[in-house]
Amino acid sequence: MSLLSKINSKATADANTGFGTNPGSYGGRFINKDGTANISKRGMTVFSRISWYHTMISMPRWRFMAILFTFYILVNFLFACIYYSIGVEYLDGIETTGSEIVKFGKAYFFSAQTFTTVGYGHISPNGFLTSSLAAAEALVGLLSFAIATGLFFGRFSKPVAHIKFSHNALIAPYRGGSALMMRLTPFKNTDFSDALAKITLGMSVEEEGKLTNRFYSLPLELDRINALTLSWTLVHPITEESPLWGFRESDFKSVEGEVLVYLKTFDDMFSTNVVAKTSYTFEEIVYGAKFDVMYTENEANTKTILHLDRLNSFTRVTLD
């Protein structure tokens, strides 16, 4: 049986998704779990196709700090080597006696003082070459710290949608039938309002003897809420108009498909819209399950407790 016959003929495909229609030219999933595009760009040099500002702003915190410390150590090491090659006797305050390692160490720390423009005064340059090098290093230090300060500010001031999605989507019971469900929740002390969600189904289908990518907008029971303070379960009822109508558990295991999730909400702190994205392949859709409740009242019935550790918690159920 061809794959096309499994898709509801009442479902209308979208042509404005921005993804290619030829599955042979598309590798892997359309969107990664973290919401980034699953695309590797080639054909230009690294310096031409990469925005280093965006890279430094979006990379993990540990990697960002590691790059800063590594750059700081290597630059001072480079200037220390130059000072040492010129001669430590041109650095007043450094004793010319002693081991070479001690001399190089003092040249290194002089470089660090010059690079940071601290200038304790214990060691000072003497001679044209050494003074010129110290002046050049001071300029490099000022420019480097200006860039680092801008990157630090950019990382702290960048509006980010602090929203987590459930790891799995579910096919769950819903009003006598079934529905596709996925859950999301804000996980930090942020205030979101006017949240808008949209989900799209992408599948490789057979048409006229060849495979092609088709995309379908999946209507939600509720696609907009006024305040996003608790968990929000996105529900697509599987009706006779849904492209998932008639799909069984075996179909989700044999068909290649992906559900793309797009969320836009207003961040009250930054007074701007923020966006969060993710996707679920058919392998990440659990057939016959329902999400466990994430929030409860406290013992005094004065506050609602949101249990973030229950975001991915679900219970297996039997579908009719």
Side-chain angles (χ1 to χ4, degrees):
M1 184 171 63
S2 68
L3 180 58
L4 182 60
S5 63
K6 293 179 179 292
I7 299 175
N8 186 4
S9 59
K10 296 182 180 180
T12 303
D14 289 340
N16 59 349
T17 60
F19 297 101
T21 60
N22 184 5
S25 301
Y26 221 103
R29 62 198 306 159
F30 296 106
I31 295 179
N32 296 317
K33 291 295 289 183
D34 61 359
T36 58
N38 187 27
I39 295 176
S40 178
K41 299 180 180 179
R42 304 288 174 85
M44 298 178 66
T45 64
V46 174
F47 294 99
S48 298
R49 69 175 186 264
I50 292 181
S51 169
W52 294 106
Y53 177 79
H54 286 82
T55 301
M56 296 293 291
I57 289 293
S58 59
M59 69 172 49
R61 187 181 297 110
W62 68 268
R63 186 178 299 174
F64 176 77
M65 296 302 299
I67 289 177
L68 289 186
F69 280 114
T70 302
F71 175 79
Y72 177 80
I73 293 172
L74 291 180
V75 168
N76 283 297
F77 181 81
L78 174 62
F79 277 100
C81 289
I82 301 176
Y83 286 123
Y84 183 81
S85 63
I86 293 176
V88 293
E89 63 271 14
Y90 292 101
L91 295 175
D92 292 341
I94 293 182
E95 297 180 1
T96 56
T97 59
S99 66
E100 298 300 319
I101 295 179
V102 172
K103 295 179 183 178
F104 182 82
K106 292 183 178 181
Y108 180 87
F109 288 114
F110 170 73
S111 172
Q113 297 169 19
T114 305
F115 185 78
T116 58
T117 68
V118 172
Y120 289 124
H122 174 66
I123 303 174
S124 59
N126 180 15
F128 179 78
L129 285 179
T130 310
S131 298
S132 300
L133 182 60
E137 183 180 8
L139 177 61
V140 172
L142 286 172
L143 296 178
S144 300
F145 278 98
I147 294 174
T149 302
L151 291 173
F152 266 108
F153 177 78
R155 291 179 64 90
F156 277 104
S157 62
K158 176 187 175 183
V160 177
H162 295 292
I163 293 173
K164 284 188 178 297
F165 294 89
S166 59
H167 182 73
N168 295 104
L170 309 180
I171 301 296
Y174 178 78
R175 295 183 180 179
S178 61
L180 173 66
M181 301 183 184
M182 62 280 298
R183 187 158 65 178
L184 59 94
T185 185
F187 63 95
K188 290 198 175 184
N189 55 331
T190 52
D191 293 320
F192 295 126
S193 60
D194 192 23
L196 174 66
K198 180 180 179 180
I199 60 177
T200 301
L201 171 64
M203 288 188 293
S204 296
V205 301
E206 185 180 345
E207 292 183 352
E208 300 179 355
K210 66 178 183 179
L211 289 177
T212 183
N213 289 333
R214 284 290 177 263
F215 299 90
Y216 304 86
S217 291
L218 302 184
L220 296 173
E221 174 198 37
L222 192 65
D223 62 1
R224 183 188 294 269
I225 57 176
N226 293 331
L228 182 56
T229 56
L230 298 172
S231 63
W232 184 15
T233 301
L234 305 180
V235 179
H236 165 66
I238 302 179
T239 63
E240 295 182 358
E241 287 75 29
S242 172
L244 295 175
W245 177 258
F247 267 56
R248 310 303 297 174
E249 184 175 7
S250 58
D251 296 323
F252 285 100
K253 294 180 179 179
S254 60
V255 174
E256 183 179 349
E258 184 176 349
V259 178
L260 314 177
V261 184
Y262 173 88
L263 176 75
K264 181 174 68 173
T265 183
F266 184 81
D267 190 320
D268 295 345
M269 175 62 69
F270 291 100
S271 295
T272 188
N273 288 322
V274 291
V275 174
K277 295 174 289 184
T278 191
S279 75
Y280 300 90
T281 62
F282 277 6
E283 295 177 350
E284 297 166 339
I285 297 178
V286 180
Y287 190 90
K290 65 177 182 179
F291 285 114
D292 298 331
V293 177
M294 277 190 65
Y295 51 90
T296 58
E297 61 185 24
N298 63 354
E299 296 180 356
N301 195 20
T302 58
K303 190 179 291 291
T304 301
I305 301 175
L306 181 61
H307 301 275
L308 299 176
D309 56 338
R310 299 181 186 177
L311 175 63
N312 301 311
S313 178
F314 61 83
T315 303
R316 289 281 188 171
V317 297
T318 301
L319 295 178
D320 297 333

